[in-house]
Amino acid sequence: MNKKEWYKNAIFYELHVRAFCDGNNDGIGDLKGLISKLDYLRDLGIGCIWLLPIYPSPLKDDGYDISDFYNIHSDLGTLSDFKQLIKEVHKRDLHIIADLVLNHTSDQCAWFQEARTHPNSPYRNFYVWSDTNQKYKETRIIFIDKENSNWTWDEAAGQYFWHRFYSSQPDLNFDHPLVREEIINILRFWLDLGIDGFRADAVPYLFEREGTSCENLPETHAFLREIRELIDHEYPDRILLAEANQWPSDLSPYFGDGNEFHMAFHFPLMPRIFKALAISDRTPIIKIINETPKIPPNCQWSTFLRNHDELTLEMVSEKDRVFLWNYYAKDTRMRLNLGIRRRLAPLVNGNQKIIELLFAIIFALPGAPIIYYGDEIGMGDNIWLDDRNGVRTPMQWNSKANAGFSNADKKKLFLPIIEEGRFSYQQINVEDQLIIPNSLLLKMRRLIACRKKYEVFSQGTCNFPNLGNQSILAIKREFKGESILAIQNLSDKIIAINPLEYNLKKSYLIDILENNTKNSTNYINDEIRLEPYGFKWFLMKK
Ligand code: NOJ
Ligand code: CA
């Protein structure tokens, strides 16, 4: 593969520096701590780290409210620690991208403070002001649990300001040329430090226009293409990953003609994987992949099961939303906005087979998969914490004090460790899983290694052979004469497939996940037997 297109074949690992490892024992994870865990990530087999926001912030939205775009949050370290991190990441042949919030700032950002208190300040126009709260009425509210308007009155300014998220996150005014210029300065600043790209937050919302939803506007796409042009010219091997929680038809313009984003999250796929599992039927997955528009050859989907937010159900019908809520979040405390605030393992009652199956599905489908930190060991959540904090608790490294996350006094930890029940750090931690044969962690390592070995997973065409039973999701990937058949059982029943009944006749199948060579070849008349929630991946040989 073209080295410039490294992102197409990489497994991404999303992590919260604050929650990963505490290097100076103040109870908060930091860059030094992260550096000390890079070998763990390399050994897991991931290719790119994605950092949640690392900038100075009052943390009213856990860092997505940036108060200074040119520095590192003092809890996490310094710019020189960050440079060290990049050096250490690259030394291990890994890549690293970071979240960048373009759409808004914190209300504590000096620009906003200037803007609201000095009407003649050059910063006034950095934000979107209005004398009434009646403009852009067709725009939806995103944080429906906490906000009831996209406008908030500012006493000092004597006007309303526009915000798509919390009222502590005023939106920047992209119609103002100086805002666009500033964003470009910010990009250059971090790219010059050597970062491999950005996960660009909330990109559909940059511009506002009356009479529209203020999402996905042509002006927004035009500016995003301008950013891309800059990257292509000045930093050709860096990437832009779009966070646009939209339907497939609205998502594909974010790739442009291969001249906008390199990658975009596949938001509509994620809840359909959970639905397919709940009903033991492959249909929702096949339908959404078949409805997904083709993307330019230099682009890649970013696929995921969970992330740091609620499991969003925005991209499903009202009926499916209610179904998924009732199935996966019976307790209303588990629900947030239009989603579910739970981690992967608790969503499936800690069933390791199901966790492996779900990863197998996103690893076999088109796209570059993301692992959310802790999901590789099956970490749990704490639904009693506020907002989305329940899925952002400290990484569980071992069964010693504070789960090996920090040597600080327990009371000083930025969030409590999960210490009760089946997901407690005594039960679920890295150190134990490194020595327990067939632990989730070791299985994940093998799955990752296998996926990386076959380029067909990242580049190949995808279709879905019908192997009868609706609970069987068969994914066939083909690239440059290589074919892989990944067969997944979405049900709790044993299912046997007779390859002779299907078009698999002319091939024999080599099991690429099975180490034991005795069991690794399926000849034409061997039956394929799948355990409940089991899966097998085969290389097809003529
Ligand atoms: C999307 C991020 O994933 C979420 O955590 C954040 O609250 C909003 N954007 C606002 O920046
Ligand atoms: Ca610390």
Side-chain angles (χ1 to χ4, degrees), residues 221-368:
H221 283 291
F223 177 63
L224 293 169
R225 283 196 298 272
E226 217 178 282
I227 292 182
R228 172 59 183 270
E229 213 180 304
L230 174 139
I231 297 224
D232 281 350
H233 277 118
E234 299 177 28
Y235 310 91
D237 48 353
R238 322 294 179 90
I239 62 161
L240 291 170
L241 160 58
E243 192 232 1
N245 189 352
Q246 304 286 326
W247 291 99
S249 57
D250 289 323
L251 264 172
S252 67
Y254 286 92
F255 294 112
D257 299 319
N259 61 350
E260 205 168 309
F261 280 89
H262 301 77
M263 307 184 81
F265 294 115
H266 202 315
F267 274 101
L269 170 64
M270 181 275 297
R272 285 165 181 79
I273 296 176
F274 287 98
K275 181 172 176 203
L277 174 71
I279 62 175
S280 303
D281 185 326
R282 64 190 175 221
T283 312
I285 297 176
I286 297 186
K287 197 160 172 281
I288 197 69
I289 295 289
N290 287 338
E291 281 168 13
T292 301
K294 281 222 160 9
I295 58 174
N298 60 342
C299 297
Q300 181 64 297
W301 288 108
S302 218
T303 53
F304 62 101
L305 296 165
R306 288 297 294 113
N307 62 22
H308 62 291
D309 288 326
E310 69 273 26
L311 187 168
T312 168
L313 300 174
E314 280 165 301
M315 292 303 127
V316 298
S317 67
E318 181 70 43
K319 192 166 146 242
D320 279 350
R321 189 174 305 137
V322 172
F323 169 77
L324 289 164
W325 262 329
N326 290 335
Y327 192 89
Y328 289 107
K330 284 201 184 64
D331 187 333
T332 51
R333 181 73 203 177
M334 297 169 178
R335 304 177 188 182
L336 181 72
N337 300 317
L338 290 182
I340 299 172
R341 50 171 154 191
R342 306 206 71 194
R343 261 189 185 266
L344 182 61
L347 280 169
V348 298
N349 300 315
N351 185 325
Q352 187 182 330
K353 298 251 15 153
I354 302 183
I355 299 171
E356 290 169 18
L357 170 78
L358 295 176
F359 276 114
I361 292 173
I362 58 164
F363 280 34
L365 285 172

Side-chain angles (χ1 to χ4, degrees), residues 21-30 75:
C21 181
D22 180 8
N24 67 349
N25 297 317
D26 63 353
I28 306 169
D30 46 48
D75 289 348

Side-chain angles (χ1 to χ4, degrees), residues 180-197:
R180 302 198 297 272
E181 219 173 90
E182 191 74 51
I183 295 290
I184 296 208
N185 291 340
I186 295 167
L187 287 165
R188 283 209 181 97
F189 178 82
W190 293 97
L191 291 167
D192 286 340
L193 290 179
I195 197 151
D196 294 301

